[in-house]
Amino acid sequence: GELRASDRARERAARLLRSAYKNGRLELDELEERSAHIEAARTRAELRSVLRDLPEYRRWRRRMRRRRLWLWLLPRRLRRRFL
């Protein structure tokens, strides 16, 4: 099954939407519509579907991939602090 969306994931998604709105990529009505979808999302896949077309989301995903790559170079006991 698909992983359930946590409150933290929903908050992160809402921040990305607000950033897209501030940058002029979303209109107010689209922001409200997508925000409602985020609140109703039960899985991470549903959150991704709301954010997938936004450059802010793609940049965030790249940063997280790089961060995970570097974390594997750390000893296991230190990795836990960053996850």
Side-chain angles (χ1 to χ4, degrees):
E2 184 66 35
L3 291 175
R4 292 185 56 88
S6 66
D7 290 337
R8 183 176 176 192
R10 282 189 193 87
E11 290 167 7
R12 185 181 323 121
R15 275 196 314 271
L16 289 170
L17 281 181
R18 286 191 300 271
S19 176
Y21 174 71
K22 287 177 187 174
N23 291 331
R25 291 187 177 85
L26 295 176
E27 298 291 326
L28 182 58
D29 58 337
E30 190 174 8
L31 171 67
E32 292 169 352
E33 180 182 337
R34 288 184 187 219
S35 295
H37 284 290
I38 284 175
E39 289 301 316
R42 296 184 62 125
T43 65
R44 289 184 181 185
E46 291 172 356
L47 289 178
R48 280 192 301 269
S49 69
V50 174
L51 301 170
R52 189 171 287 138
D53 63 328
L54 298 174
E56 288 80 3
Y57 174 71
R58 291 191 296 270
R59 279 193 298 270
W60 176 82
R61 292 284 300 168
R62 272 195 306 269
R63 279 195 323 267
M64 290 299 106
R65 280 191 208 118
R66 279 191 224 121
R67 180 178 173 190
R68 279 191 215 111
L69 176 66
W70 286 105
L71 282 177
W72 289 110
L73 298 175
L74 294 174
R76 186 174 298 226
R77 62 180 165 50
L78 293 176
R79 280 185 224 155
R80 293 183 191 141
R81 295 181 188 173
F82 297 99
L83 293 177

